[in-house]
Amino acid sequence: MELTKNITLGVYLPGSTSIHRLDPRTKILAAAILIILLLFVRTYEPYLLFSLFLFAVVLLSRIPVGYALCGLKPMLPVLAIMWVFQLFLFKTEDTAVLFSWWIFEATEAGLHMGNLISLRVLFLFTTTTLLTLTTSVVSLTDGLESLLKPLAKVGLPTQELVMTLVIALRFVLILAEELEKIVKAQMARGVAFDRGNFLQKTKKLFPVFLPLFIGAFKRAEELIVAMEARSYTGGRGRTKMKTLRFGRVDLYSTLATLAFSALLVFTILRSGPLY
Amino acid sequence: MPLEVIDLCHSYKEGTPFVHEALQGINLYIDDGEFVGIIGPTRSGKSTLAQHFNALYIPRRGKVLIDGNDTKDKNTDLVRLRHRVGYVFQNPDYQLFASTVGEDVSFGPRRQNLPPEEIKARVRESLELVGLDYEAFFKRDIYALSGGQKRRAAIAGVLACKPRILVLDDITAGLDPAGREEILAVIARLHSENQITTIFVSSSMDDVSVLAERIIVMHEGRIIIDDTTRAVFSRADELEEIGLELPEVTVLVEKLRKLGYKLPPGLFNIEEAQAAIAMALDQGRAEQ
Amino acid sequence: MLQGLKWIGVILDKLIETIDLSYSYRSGEGEAVRALSRVNMAVYRGEILAITGRNGSGKSTLARHFNALLTPKEGRVLVDGLSTADKANTALIRRKVGMVFQNPDNQLVSSVVEEDVAFGPENLGLPREEIINRVDEALNTMKLETVRHENPHHLSSGQRQQIAIAGVLAMKPECIVLDEPTAHLDPRGRREVLQSALKLNREEGITVVLLTHFMNEVIYCDRMIVMDRGEVRAAGAPQEVFMQEELIREMGLDFPVATRIASALRSRGYPLPPSIMQAEELIEGICRLK
């Protein structure tokens, strides 16, 4: 029973590689461009290119490959459900029927759609995880705030929004820890989370959510009080210890990302949508 | 119902950069009716070990046998086993998940599909064992309980499953002195009147020393001392070296001993220390 | 740091003062619960003050009034002469009085030690060089230089609590309020945090308020306050308070170990002074009996 093991989203892995030292804005922009491009990918070839790029980032940042991938494990059940839904429900007019079961028909179009959507979610998640693994909470905040400055000018509370986002990210791990404690306490009193099939296991999780959210709210409230006690009153008037510097390495990295994006766009256009 | 641990190893976050070898080859035998303290500094592996006792962790290397049943064995009924080995967690907020005391204490028995009269009898019995009056507390809201009462309610919830082994994980943490005394008295009574095997996990030697007959000292995933309480406390230097704080009484008596007062080693009980110091002083007077 | 005559010298210099402070909140069932009733107390500049009392006695509620996390509806709280009820004073008051909470996990903001320590000074809007200086200094005082680039999540809870203290220290407050900072720590971590609190008081001259259940922490403080059901039931030097045996028992508190041994020996006819609290005092007393 170890739930926090496979949580990588929102975890920061300290390091001093060139990827770690990049200006957070470079990393955030790169991640944003890649994620937007992902939405347009409708075939398999671009994913091959994409995985090469992500693999290069993993190598450069010296994150163990297994660790970078293990964060995907908790998502697999959800993806599997999504995949099955697409397989049976997505149809085009001229698609071949692979097999049918009761009133449902699995089609070739559904199979590809299921694959592509699953791939999209996996790559989206991996890209975001790589960003948080190599960027500390504060530099993430600073980077986002700096990038959103134009929006602040028109009166949006960007600093508060960013702080909320960052704290939400921090709570991924906290929620997993809380969940582990509650599940263990219930197991200790005879709830068999570790027995039964997938459906039975999921059903047993429901009574866990109430204490989980009460616990999380309590902790969030304590964090807010602690921040207030340290004179936090929102973003106004805050200064920074670390200033952002967009250096030469950042320029090269951005150019590399843009070049890769162009290649990706070209591949996307050339291969055309599968459906 | 004896408990046996053979060559047990466990690591957290295996295959990640944060891998932590929590247990490295643990061998242990705890007999019926014993009162054993497990102490060690934070991250010494004591909670990890304790959570193997009721199969919250299933060993990947090594074995845990409860009454001869291997927790790794597919044929072992883990739900039944967890009723036989009760586990009380450090923070009662995670352990109490119903809204009233009665509902919470009956949680375990209800899982066992017992007849309603039996459930009611068990709830009554468990509440009384921990010193909470059934009539007064049955309908009481969990949130209206004090820290000490919450912990007692949590213990009652575990007792309602009729355990033969009771594992208590740092249950005095965060309690005020009165609450702490209250809970220690309940545990002492449970052990002496009901002969429940009790395993008391704590980082505070003060708490462990009051009750345990035998103490297991853990350090960095290994058992480094396993002996009677008195013998453990007479090895003061070793304990300090691994980052454990000795009970204040022991420290004080050791200092006097080093000044030449004739006192026995390994004293940890305040009444004994008072008597021993008085005797040493009386002797000194008589010699003059 | 206050002993004997020196204590009288500063007695009038109140850094924090509560005047007839009362506080009620609504419980889950909607009934009003009185958490503080007519509390009159003070924290003197330069002292280290222990506030003790059982769980739910109102210690924490009182402490949260010291830096305007709670503001009085009845009565007044003055910090260095400033009323906490006036919203305009809040920012200044929080600069003067810093606060460290029970659970280190719920008060650390960043995933890097030095960035977390910088959080407070950044909120104060200080220039960059000043922030860096303060962070260096705070890390140095708390002996955290070696872990400054680490993720606090991977350190021990004792160290995490030291980081939380460093974070408050970097704001250069006049007073630090520690709200049961040792409740979640093991005895070693507890001793280290206590030593830090004493060091801040004796070497850095910071006024310290320590909320605690542990009598072996109280005995190192200049003064102690005992709370019960929202009221101050005793205040004074720990020696004096521990002499009120009836009261200590009624409040559900312990006696320090050395005090208990001394009183047992006294009842057997050994003339030990009733003011003994620390182990060293008892040993000295016993040696003097010869």
Side-chain angles (χ1 to χ4, degrees):
Chain A
M1 186 84 261
E2 196 184 353
L3 294 172
T4 52
K5 184 178 158 186
N6 293 327
I7 302 277
T8 49
L9 183 68
V11 174
Y12 171 60
L13 187 60
S16 55
T17 67
S18 47
I19 300 281
H20 281 87
R21 277 176 309 178
L22 281 176
D23 187 315
R25 288 172 297 188
T26 311
K27 288 185 267 188
I28 295 168
L29 272 181
I33 293 174
L34 292 177
I35 286 171
I36 291 169
L37 284 178
L38 264 182
L39 301 178
F40 294 98
V41 177
R42 297 278 168 80
T43 51
Y44 297 110
E45 293 93 337
Y47 282 114
L48 194 71
L49 266 179
F50 214 103
S51 44
L52 285 176
F53 184 82
L54 292 185
F55 189 63
V57 174
V58 169
L59 284 186
L60 281 173
S61 57
R62 304 231 178 99
I63 296 169
V65 180
Y67 184 61
L69 291 178
C70 77
L72 299 172
K73 234 163 119 188
M75 303 187 56
L76 293 180
V78 184
L79 282 181
I81 295 174
M82 255 170 51
W83 187 82
V84 172
F85 265 88
Q86 293 297 336
L87 178 67
F88 286 110
L89 298 178
F90 184 80
K91 281 189 180 71
T92 53
E93 276 166 19
D94 52 351
T95 184
V97 173
L98 295 175
F99 62 92
S100 60
W101 173 70
W102 194 30
I103 55 165
F104 298 110
E105 280 179 341
T107 63
E108 205 184 323
L111 176 70
H112 288 303
M113 204 58 183
N115 289 346
L116 289 172
I117 287 187
S118 304
L119 279 170
R120 183 179 294 164
V121 174
L122 288 177
F123 277 84
L124 206 118
F125 184 82
T126 310
T127 312
T128 326
T129 303
L130 286 180
L131 176 67
T132 61
L133 275 175
T134 57
T135 319
S136 79
V137 170
V138 167
S139 63
L140 208 57
T141 324
D142 292 349
L144 275 173
E145 276 176 9
S146 163
L147 288 170
L148 294 175
K149 221 174 243 162
L151 290 177
K153 289 217 172 92
V154 290
L156 277 175
T158 52
Q159 291 193 307
E160 283 79 358
L161 284 175
V162 169
M163 192 53 99
T164 314
L165 179 78
V166 167
I167 286 173
L169 218 48
R170 210 186 91 117
F171 265 79
V172 174
L173 198 64
I174 290 181
L175 277 174
E177 281 174 4
E178 297 272 308
L179 183 64
E180 187 173 318
K181 282 180 189 157
I182 295 165
V183 166
K184 271 185 183 166
Q186 300 208 357
M187 271 166 77
R189 289 220 266 155
V191 184
F193 284 106
D194 40 4
R195 291 285 153 93
N197 62 31
F198 179 70
L199 209 73
Q200 286 168 323
K201 277 186 188 169
T202 317
K203 212 178 111 198
K204 281 173 197 147
L205 271 175
F206 283 113
V208 166
F209 284 111
L210 189 66
L212 176 66
F213 285 111
I214 292 175
F217 274 122
K218 243 190 194 161
R219 294 186 66 163
E221 201 183 302
E222 275 183 42
L223 180 66
I224 291 164
V225 172
M227 284 169 67
E228 245 186 85
R230 285 162 82 184
S231 293
Y232 181 74
T233 52
R236 215 169 304 131
R238 248 175 84 79
T239 49
K240 305 276 171 173
M241 173 171 73
K242 291 181 178 160
T243 46
L244 301 179
R245 265 232 311 280
F246 195 84
R248 187 168 294 186
V249 187
D250 290 293
L251 183 67
Y252 296 152
S253 312
T254 309
L255 288 177
T257 313
L258 288 177
F260 171 75
S261 306
L263 188 64
L264 203 60
V265 170
F266 177 72
T267 330
I268 293 170
L269 291 176
R270 205 197 51 174
S271 53
L274 206 52
Y275 289 100
Chain B
M1 208 168 84
L3 182 157
E4 195 172 5
V5 178
I6 302 158
D7 286 332
L8 179 65
C9 297
H10 184 83
S11 42
Y12 283 109
K13 311 218 171 194
E14 210 160 5
T16 78
F18 307 117
V19 63
H20 171 60
E21 309 272 337
L23 297 177
Q24 310 182 36
I26 301 284
N27 286 289
L28 182 65
Y29 183 85
I30 295 175
D31 211 346
D32 262 358
E34 274 196 87
F35 198 124
V36 182
I38 300 183
I39 54 170
T42 18
R43 284 167 75 89
S44 57
K46 51 192 193 311
S47 284
T48 312
L49 174 62
Q51 291 182 14
H52 277 89
F53 296 161
N54 71 337
L56 285 180
Y57 288 121
I58 306 290
R60 240 170 283 165
R61 274 159 289 162
K63 260 193 224 175
V64 176
L65 303 172
I66 309 291
D67 209 8
N69 297 311
D70 190 339
T71 58
K72 215 172 357 188
D73 190 342
K74 286 267 176 294
N75 297 320
T76 305
D77 181 352
L78 291 185
V79 172
R80 210 180 103 81
L81 185 137
R82 290 186 188 125
H83 280 150
R84 308 286 284 160
V85 185
Y87 198 108
V88 184
F89 291 83
Q90 184 189 70
N91 187 340
D93 288 335
Y94 295 109
Q95 184 134 16
L96 301 167
F97 29 77
S99 51
T100 66
V101 174
E103 229 178 283
D104 195 86
V105 176
S106 63
F107 182 89
R110 276 188 280 136
R111 284 296 89 105
Q112 291 171 291
N113 296 321
L114 297 171
E117 312 80 62
E118 167 77 12
I119 294 178
K120 202 176 162 196
R122 282 203 186 182
V123 172
R124 183 183 287 273
E125 193 191 332
S126 320
L127 281 175
E128 262 140 40
L129 279 172
V130 299
L132 294 176
D133 181 56
Y134 177 82
E135 306 301 334
F137 281 92
F138 183 75
K139 289 219 162 94
R140 187 78 62 89
D141 206 323
I142 294 286
Y143 296 100
L145 299 179
S146 74
Q149 288 169 340
K150 264 191 195 171
R151 280 180 177 74
R152 284 193 278 167
I155 296 176
V158 171
L159 290 177
C161 302
K162 297 256 173 199
R164 290 311 308 153
I165 299 177
L166 192 57
V167 186
L168 307 159
D169 192 351
D170 219 354
I171 51 166
T172 52
L175 285 181
D176 55 32
R180 177 176 161 261
E181 220 129 274
E182 207 175 276
I183 209 82
L184 292 179
V186 164
I187 292 161
R189 205 177 55 232
L190 277 176
H191 180 251
S192 63
E193 287 175 13
N194 300 56
Q195 283 82 46
I196 297 182
T197 310
T198 309
I199 302 170
F200 193 104
V201 182
S202 176
S203 55
S204 158
M205 300 246 240
D206 271 308
D207 289 353
V208 175
S209 64
V210 182
L211 299 171
E213 298 142 4
R214 166 183 166 196
I215 289 184
I216 292 167
V217 182
M218 294 198 57
H219 181 52
E220 290 177 353
R222 294 195 172 83
I223 292 178
I224 57 164
I225 308 177
D226 180 353
D227 213 331
T228 62
T229 305
R230 188 170 306 278
V232 168
F233 284 117
S234 55
R235 295 163 74 172
D237 295 341
E238 273 169 82
L239 297 174
E240 293 224 287
E241 206 170 294
I242 63 161
L244 280 171
E245 300 276 304
L246 291 166
E248 282 180 80
V249 178
T250 314
V251 176
L252 208 148
V253 171
E254 282 305 305
K255 278 187 184 154
L256 284 171
R257 246 160 60 81
K258 285 194 179 134
L259 285 171
Y261 288 91
K262 288 200 186 77
L263 295 163
L267 277 184
F268 51 84
N269 179 306
I270 193 155
E271 281 81 24
E272 279 180 356
Q274 285 164 345
I277 296 171
M279 212 160 82
L281 289 176
D282 288 344
Q283 260 177 17
R285 244 185 210 173
E287 280 164 25
Q288 279 174 11
Chain C
M1 99 188 272
L2 306 176
Q3 295 291 330
L5 285 174
K6 207 168 137 208
W7 199 76
I8 296 167
V10 289
I11 198 159
L12 293 173
D13 196 3
K14 292 173 179 168
L15 181 61
I16 302 171
E17 187 179 11
T18 70
I19 302 153
D20 285 335
L21 174 66
S22 297
Y23 184 85
S24 314
Y25 63 90
R26 294 224 168 271
S27 74
E29 287 90 51
E31 47 193 304
V33 180
R34 207 155 175 78
L36 294 176
S37 60
R38 300 181 75 83
V39 172
N40 287 289
M41 56 81 68
V43 180
Y44 298 104
R45 205 183 290 275
E47 75 171 339
I48 175 161
L49 169 72
I51 303 183
T52 184
R54 62 181 108 228
N55 287 332
S57 59
K59 310 187 287 292
S60 217
T61 312
L62 176 63
R64 280 170 192 224
H65 279 89
F66 294 164
N67 71 340
L69 286 175
L70 292 175
T71 50
K73 288 182 197 81
E74 292 168 65
R76 293 205 301 156
V77 178
L78 300 177
V79 176
D80 214 1
L82 303 165
S83 165
T84 62
D86 187 350
K87 284 266 180 289
N89 292 333
T90 306
L92 190 55
I93 286 168
R94 290 202 181 137
R95 276 178 188 230
K96 288 179 188 286
V97 182
M99 196 145 188
V100 175
F101 299 86
Q102 204 178 93
N103 190 344
D105 292 339
N106 299 348
Q107 54 187 317
L108 299 181
V109 183
S110 180
S111 49
V112 178
V113 172
E114 60 170 6
E115 290 178 357
D116 191 84
V117 176
F119 180 74
E122 287 179 341
N123 289 335
L124 298 180
L126 298 170
R128 191 168 159 262
E129 293 72 39
E130 174 70 14
I131 297 178
I132 293 170
N133 284 340
R134 285 186 176 202
V135 169
D136 287 347
E137 218 175 287
L139 290 173
N140 187 19
T141 309
M142 301 307 295
K143 304 241 178 313
L144 290 167
E145 298 103 323
T146 50
V147 296
R148 68 183 297 160
H149 299 294
E150 302 275 324
N151 187 339
H153 204 84
H154 304 133
L155 301 175
S156 75
S157 46
Q159 272 173 312
R160 282 193 292 235
Q161 197 58 285
Q162 304 277 16
I163 296 166
I165 297 176
V168 172
L169 191 61
M171 298 176 74
K172 298 220 167 157
E174 288 178 45
C175 172
I176 296 184
V177 180
L178 301 144
D179 185 354
E180 288 188 44
T182 59
H184 286 277
L185 306 184
D186 68 3
R188 174 61 57 102
R190 212 184 288 158
R191 193 173 74 182
E192 283 165 1
V193 167
L194 174 70
Q195 280 166 351
S196 303
L198 294 172
K199 184 176 165 189
L200 293 182
N201 180 250
R202 288 173 188 157
E203 290 170 25
E204 313 285 319
I206 296 171
T207 308
V208 175
V209 180
L210 176 67
L211 278 63
T212 182
H213 289 311
F214 297 103
M215 296 310 128
N216 53 5
E217 294 175 3
V218 172
I219 56 178
Y220 294 102
C221 297
D222 298 320
R223 272 193 330 127
M224 73 186 280
I225 282 180
V226 183
M227 302 269 309
D228 186 50
R229 280 166 234 194
E231 287 174 42
V232 173
R233 291 293 299 271
Q239 289 93 331
E240 296 160 18
V241 176
F242 283 122
M243 273 187 244
Q244 306 177 44
E245 292 188 20
E246 268 312 293
L247 179 93
I248 295 290
R249 279 205 194 92
E250 192 198 325
M251 299 292 103
L253 300 175
D254 266 344
F255 289 95
V257 167
T259 311
R260 285 171 67 184
I261 296 180
S263 104
L265 293 176
R266 229 183 358 262
S267 68
R268 287 174 187 239
Y270 291 98
L272 290 165
S275 64
I276 285 179
M277 290 190 310
Q278 299 174 10
E280 291 71 31
E281 294 169 343
L282 177 64
I283 291 169
E284 208 188 300
I286 289 177
C287 290
R288 232 182 249 150
L289 288 175
K290 276 185 180 168

